[in-house]
Amino acid sequence: MPPSLKSVALIGSYLPRQCGIATFTNDLAAAIIDNDPDIDCFIVAMNDRPEPYEYPDTVQFQISQEKLNDYHLAANFLNLRNPDAVSLQHEYGIFGGQRGSFIIELAKNLKVPLVTTLHTILRDPSAEERKIITQLAELSARLVVMSERGAEFLRDIYQVPASKIALIHHGILDVPFLDPDPCKSKVAAADKIIILTFGLLSPGKGIEFMIDALPDIVSSHPEVLYFVVGATHPNCRADSGEDYRLNLHHRAMELGVDDNIVFHDRFLERDELLEIIRAADIYVTPYLNEAQIVSGTLAYAVGAGKAVVSTPYWHAQEMLADGRGRFVPFKDSRALSREINQLLDFPDERLKMRRAAYDYSRPMVMKEMGCRYLELFSQARAQHSRAADLPVLHTLSQHDQRLPQINLKHLRHMTDDTGMLQHAKFTVPNRAEGYCVDDNARALIVVTRAHDLDRTDASLTELSSIYLSFLDDAFDPATGRFHNFMSYGRKWLDTAGSEDSHGRALWALGVMAGRGHHSGQVALAIKLFHDALPALENFADSRPIAFPILGIQAYLHRHDNDHQVRELLKSLGVRLRTRFRLHASKDWQWHESMLAYDNARLPQALLACGRVTNDDDMVKTGIDVLEWLRDIQLDPSGGWFAPVGNRGWFSKSGSKAQYDQQPLEAAAMIGACMEAHECTQDEAWVQLASTCFNWYLGKNDQQTKLYDHASGGCRDGLTPDGVNENQGAESMLSYLSSLLAIYNLRGLTANHQDARKPALAEDPVKIPEMQLRSADAP
């Protein structure tokens, strides 16, 4: 028994939420109490919906997964409670931010020892996914994996030191080794042979291949019943309802085995599930690919001494080695029927396999798992330097500043069933000015990015449908061009819009095509995107070339094998770079003689194109131009962002106009800084982005806020007399796109050792610097 601990906090989803992590967190809490009934084991629960769950009293704090501020509050709560250790259950999908990056905000603000259990470890992680794991490795005293393969991945792919990795197998129920037959009457299946698959239902489980195997099995063993136990996975249900389950029903009926299959379409309580497991003769996991680092359902089945037939996914390869199970190739129903029939034909072989699995799994029982975790918690506490027995509180100088909450109130206010209205009188939509493609394109980009951070908000899909529909109506197939301006009466006011508006529309369509979340919207965006690309051939100005480059970059995120579009990207990048080479000089690094509007989008496009096409020279050109813009647009005395004003702009032969300063310019600089950081990993660009964002919050030439916390809008510009109090679409969307860009950095650029001054939700923000540091849920 490890040294006694007073209290432990567990962070994860929790029952009655229906997911594998919730079950695991519940099991771990019970195992800890089973080892030490006196320990205070409490839960910080992750919520995935606005309405609360009916949690037990052990849940003492709740985090709304999409609210960044909740992660800061949770860290403060845990620091005040001062447990001996915090156990984090990590699965990308249960946290907010880009690929769940918000959890880093909590982890880096903790002043108590952290032990992180990784339920998913990817062999081919994205850059964001890799950063999250490497940061958790640095922030945690230990990382817990549940398989040897998981430990291997951490060492070889994520470069985590072996000394930081602990292998603790997924816990299993401590049940006796039983003959299934006497248990079958309790599940109304006396005199039947039960084949079982259980767990949350989703297409990746491969149930259809087991159903395809049933006719051959039933022909030899007509008494077979195949139990498919479990509710449809909530994410699958949200995306496609019960389509997968209904397709399985139809498949069984078409094959004539509907009398041999039983669906339990719900999330079973522990005792009821255990009765079905005990009654099963064979357990089957026909998963479709190898990328399953841990399976809690497989662990349960092996722990109960079941004969298992499985595809060779990673966890199964370990659990079922040395004769503890039978393997079949992926997507091979004939192999499934052959192996299952053989096990049913030779009960002695089946019994031998069952006994081997049962004996192997004894060290994995829940109480042993709890004991191992308590040992880790004790080690983490001993290694953690802090004042003994004193609670730790974040002072104002010791944690990161808070970002404003993402507030879409004014965006919704400016949107009707036609689209985004252009202008406002103060905060009131100005119908007389109608609509334009420019703002609806910007709005489509904003809501698509917002959906990345909050997958639970169905209204974002409704908004994106409105903006996409506007772009669809704006496109004229006869000319291959978009209109731009529409009256409030829904009449187009031009034959063809500007080249700028066409480029912005392509940018938005590329974002929806590459990062959208609704299949129908993505399909329409792809079609419009391809239909609108040919017009670019005749565009001469730089901005109508730069905007589509950004759209193509987003499009290729999902369609990387579209070689034709990739070649177009290279061509556009070369055209843009050529303009700079023709007109730029050492003192005037610009593509023309006037520095006007949306300026930083041009170096952003060069950087984006260079990064995607591996063109180092193009990246260098983009960095050179962006550095020049930075030097022009930082106030020399105060260091704040001071963009080129639109009352005269900045000509090569003249001086920079101070006013009116537009929100569009801050958004463009932030986007360019984010791209420069991606290209160079230079933290100076992250800090410059925060400086530009603080322009909205009062760090500017007038020391006046443009963001309106009450309305969620943004004032239309900074003037010599203060601010333009109108809150139109362009300003509001510029602010929101800036905020979303900063939100996407949170967690991905976290440095837990930095201490910075905080701010109220609407005050200037400084982004923490980044240092790279050295599973599927059951």
Side-chain angles (χ1 to χ4, degrees):
M1 176 69 68
S4 178
L5 302 172
K6 294 179 180 179
S7 66
V8 172
L10 308 185
I11 303 173
S13 52
Y14 199 70
L15 299 177
R17 180 174 170 180
Q18 296 182 5
C19 75
I21 305 297
T23 300
F24 182 89
T25 308
N26 179 77
D27 287 346
L28 179 57
I32 289 169
I33 297 297
D34 193 20
N35 277 274
D36 186 354
D38 296 326
I39 199 170
D40 177 17
C41 183
F42 62 94
I43 310 298
V44 174
M46 300 301 307
N47 290 341
D48 62 339
R49 64 186 194 187
E51 60 274 17
Y53 290 98
E54 294 184 6
Y55 288 122
D57 292 341
T58 50
V59 173
Q60 297 186 10
F61 195 92
Q62 299 179 43
I63 298 174
S64 294
Q65 68 180 52
E66 308 299 343
K67 293 183 178 179
L68 180 61
N69 192 45
D70 280 10
Y71 294 82
H72 292 280
L73 295 174
N76 288 340
F77 166 78
L78 289 165
N79 291 334
L80 282 170
R81 284 294 304 269
N82 195 35
D84 290 298
V86 172
S87 174
L88 170 64
Q89 310 311 311
H90 181 264
E91 166 63 49
Y92 292 104
I94 69 171
F95 305 113
Q98 191 74 15
R99 292 302 286 135
S101 61
F102 285 177
I103 191 58
I104 303 297
E105 290 294 298
L106 188 159
K108 71 187 179 64
N109 285 309
L110 280 179
K111 301 298 184 183
V112 293
L114 177 65
V115 173
T116 298
T117 300
L118 300 176
H119 292 261
T120 290
I121 307 172
L122 300 172
R123 182 175 61 185
D124 300 303
S126 67
E128 293 88 352
E129 291 159 348
R130 182 188 299 272
K131 288 177 185 177
I132 289 169
I133 298 301
T134 54
Q135 288 178 96
L136 283 174
E138 177 65 21
L139 294 163
S140 303
R142 300 291 286 276
L143 293 181
V144 178
V145 298
M146 302 186 210
S147 65
E148 293 286 357
R149 185 68 62 93
E152 174 189 322
F153 282 3
L154 286 185
R155 292 190 303 267
D156 297 345
I157 299 171
Y158 300 86
Q159 284 76 55
V160 177
S163 59
K164 269 239 170 159
I165 303 169
L167 172 60
I168 302 179
H169 287 286
H170 193 291
I172 62 171
L173 302 174
D174 193 1
V175 296
F177 186 80
L178 298 174
D179 181 355
D181 288 342
C183 305
K184 293 177 180 179
S185 60
K186 294 186 178 181
V187 296
D191 302 322
K192 297 291 185 181
I193 296 172
I194 296 178
I195 302 171
L196 171 65
T197 297
F198 72 93
L200 293 173
L201 201 63
S202 63
K205 298 298 176 69
I207 308 298
E208 62 271 25
F209 291 96
M210 181 56 209
I211 292 176
D212 289 346
L214 273 180
D216 285 344
I217 298 170
V218 170
S219 66
S220 299
H221 302 277
E223 67 275 29
V224 158
L225 274 181
Y226 179 37
F227 277 54
V228 181
V229 177
T232 300
H233 196 289
N235 293 343
C236 178
R237 190 167 58 243
D239 290 341
S240 55
E242 295 290 349
D243 286 354
Y244 180 60
R245 184 184 298 276
L246 293 175
N247 287 337
L248 295 178
H249 291 180
H250 292 313
R251 199 180 198 110
M253 289 186 283
E254 290 170 0
L255 292 172
V257 292
D258 43 311
D259 285 338
N260 298 90
I261 188 167
V262 176
F263 283 88
H264 284 272
D265 304 352
R266 56 195 176 87
F267 193 84
L268 298 187
E269 297 295 329
R270 169 68 54 76
D271 291 345
E272 189 176 4
L273 177 60
L274 188 55
E275 292 292 350
I276 295 176
I277 293 173
R278 284 171 172 162
D281 295 282
I282 294 175
Y283 176 71
V284 179
T285 53
Y287 296 166
L288 298 184
N289 61 69
E290 64 180 356
Q292 180 96 359
I293 204 71
V294 62
S295 169
T297 60
L298 176 64
Y300 275 24
V302 170
K306 298 291 106 179
V308 179
V309 177
S310 176
T311 51
Y313 55 90
W314 293 327
H315 195 210
Q317 290 175 32
E318 292 183 28
M319 293 289 286
L320 305 180
D322 301 324
R324 296 187 293 270
R326 293 279 183 89
F327 291 113
V328 296
F330 295 107
K331 302 179 182 181
D332 191 336
S333 56
R334 290 186 178 180
L336 279 167
S337 62
R338 182 178 63 250
E339 293 298 332
I340 290 171
N341 275 330
Q342 187 176 50
L343 286 174
L344 294 178
D345 289 338
F346 298 96
D348 289 344
E349 284 189 29
R350 189 166 78 245
L351 179 62
K352 180 181 178 181
M353 180 190 298
R354 292 182 56 217
R355 174 55 72 179
Y358 186 82
D359 292 344
Y360 169 79
S361 64
R362 289 312 88 201
M364 304 177 192
V365 295
M366 293 292 183
K367 188 166 185 176
E368 288 298 318
M369 178 186 74
C371 183
R372 289 290 314 281
Y373 270 95
L374 286 172
E375 290 172 353
L376 275 189
F377 298 157
S378 296
Q379 294 169 13
R381 182 185 64 172
Q383 295 166 2
H384 196 75
S385 58
R386 61 181 180 137
D389 300 323
L390 291 177
V392 179
L393 178 68
H394 275 165
T395 64
L396 290 182
S397 64
Q398 290 176 313
H399 63 74
D400 296 322
Q401 298 169 308
R402 294 180 186 175
L403 287 171
Q405 293 293 324
I406 297 171
N407 182 356
L408 301 183
K409 178 181 176 181
H410 195 56
L411 179 143
R412 300 179 197 279
H413 193 50
M414 292 287 290
T415 302
D416 62 16
D417 60 356
T418 299
M420 170 69 62
L421 287 151
Q422 280 194 87
H423 296 296
K425 295 179 179 179
F426 298 96
T427 60
V428 180
N430 184 358
R431 299 181 181 183
E433 300 292 340
Y435 316 84
C436 69
V437 158
D438 285 315
D439 289 332
N440 280 273
R442 294 182 180 110
L444 182 59
I445 292 171
V446 163
V447 296
T448 302
R449 289 176 174 169
H451 209 172
D452 275 340
L453 296 177
D454 188 355
R455 303 289 181 90
T456 66
D457 188 349
S459 69
L460 294 175
T461 303
E462 297 170 8
L463 287 168
S464 60
S465 179
I466 291 171
Y467 307 136
L468 182 59
S469 176
F470 188 93
L471 296 184
D472 182 40
D473 191 68
F475 186 70
D476 182 356
T479 64
R481 292 288 300 276
F482 291 93
H483 296 283
N484 192 12
F485 296 107
M486 175 187 274
S487 72
Y488 188 71
R490 295 187 175 183
K491 292 184 178 179
W492 290 110
L493 304 177
D494 51 25
T495 302
S498 66
E499 292 182 358
D500 273 15
S501 64
H502 191 101
R504 285 197 183 92
L506 276 168
W507 182 4
L509 293 169
V511 169
M512 171 55 75
R515 294 186 175 274
H517 303 286
H518 185 280
S519 59
Q521 293 179 14
V522 169
L524 176 57
I526 292 171
K527 180 182 184 304
L528 282 173
F529 181 79
H530 283 281
D531 288 347
L533 283 176
L536 298 179
E537 183 178 352
N538 299 316
F539 287 2
D541 198 10
S542 298
R543 289 174 184 82
I545 297 173
F547 299 149
I549 286 174
L550 300 176
I552 293 173
Q553 179 195 37
Y555 169 86
L556 291 174
H557 178 75
R558 180 176 281 151
H559 309 281
D560 187 56
N561 60 349
D562 191 330
H563 301 297
Q564 186 174 356
V565 171
R566 184 176 288 275
E567 287 302 312
L568 176 60
L569 174 66
K570 292 180 182 179
S571 171
L572 293 173
V574 169
R575 286 167 60 185
L576 185 59
R577 178 175 57 188
T578 299
R579 289 185 62 85
F580 277 90
R581 287 179 171 175
L582 287 174
H583 297 282
S585 64
K586 182 178 179 182
D587 298 327
W588 185 261
Q589 296 193 33
W590 200 235
H591 67 106
E592 59 187 1
S593 60
M594 180 72 74
L595 193 59
Y597 61 93
D598 226 359
N599 296 309
R601 295 302 183 190
L602 277 67
Q604 181 184 354
L606 288 170
L607 291 164
C609 183
R611 182 159 67 94
V612 172
T613 62
N614 298 312
D615 188 330
D616 293 340
D617 178 74
M618 192 172 293
V619 169
K620 183 181 183 304
T621 302
I623 292 294
D624 290 344
V625 174
L626 187 57
E627 288 176 340
W628 181 74
L629 280 178
R630 173 199 63 196
D631 295 343
I632 287 173
Q633 298 185 112
L634 287 181
D635 181 83
S637 58
W640 53 72
F641 182 59
V644 173
N646 67 4
R647 296 190 187 183
W649 306 116
F650 186 5
S651 69
K652 184 176 182 180
S653 59
S655 59
K656 170 188 166 186
Q658 185 176 10
Y659 297 106
D660 292 349
Q661 297 176 19
Q662 301 296 301
L664 187 72
E665 301 307 321
M669 277 298 289
I670 290 169
C673 288
M674 297 299 94
E675 189 60 47
H677 177 260
E678 286 294 325
C679 291
T680 66
Q681 296 300 301
D682 184 345
E683 294 306 313
W685 295 116
V686 176
Q687 295 309 314
L688 180 57
S690 74
T691 298
C692 296
F693 185 75
N694 286 338
W695 179 87
Y696 295 105
L697 306 181
K699 291 291 288 182
N700 52 50
D701 282 348
Q702 292 285 349
Q703 300 297 294
T704 301
K705 294 177 185 176
L706 286 91
Y707 170 58
D708 184 347
H709 181 77
S711 70
C714 178
R715 297 170 178 92
D716 275 352
L718 201 65
T719 74
D721 303 317
V723 294
N724 180 339
E725 291 290 349
N726 295 328
Q727 297 182 19
E730 179 185 294
S731 302
M732 173 261 295
L733 293 166
S734 295
Y735 166 76
L736 285 173
S737 68
S738 300
L739 180 61
L740 289 165
I742 303 298
Y743 259 78
N744 276 326
L745 279 175
R746 282 302 179 109
L748 299 180
T749 58
N751 181 349
H752 74 293
Q753 296 175 333
D754 285 346
R756 294 183 172 84
K757 299 231 180 218
L760 297 178
E762 64 270 27
D763 285 343
V765 180
K766 193 168 186 179
I767 306 168
E769 296 176 356
M770 180 179 73
Q771 290 183 355
L772 292 180
R773 303 175 170 90
S774 319
D776 281 6

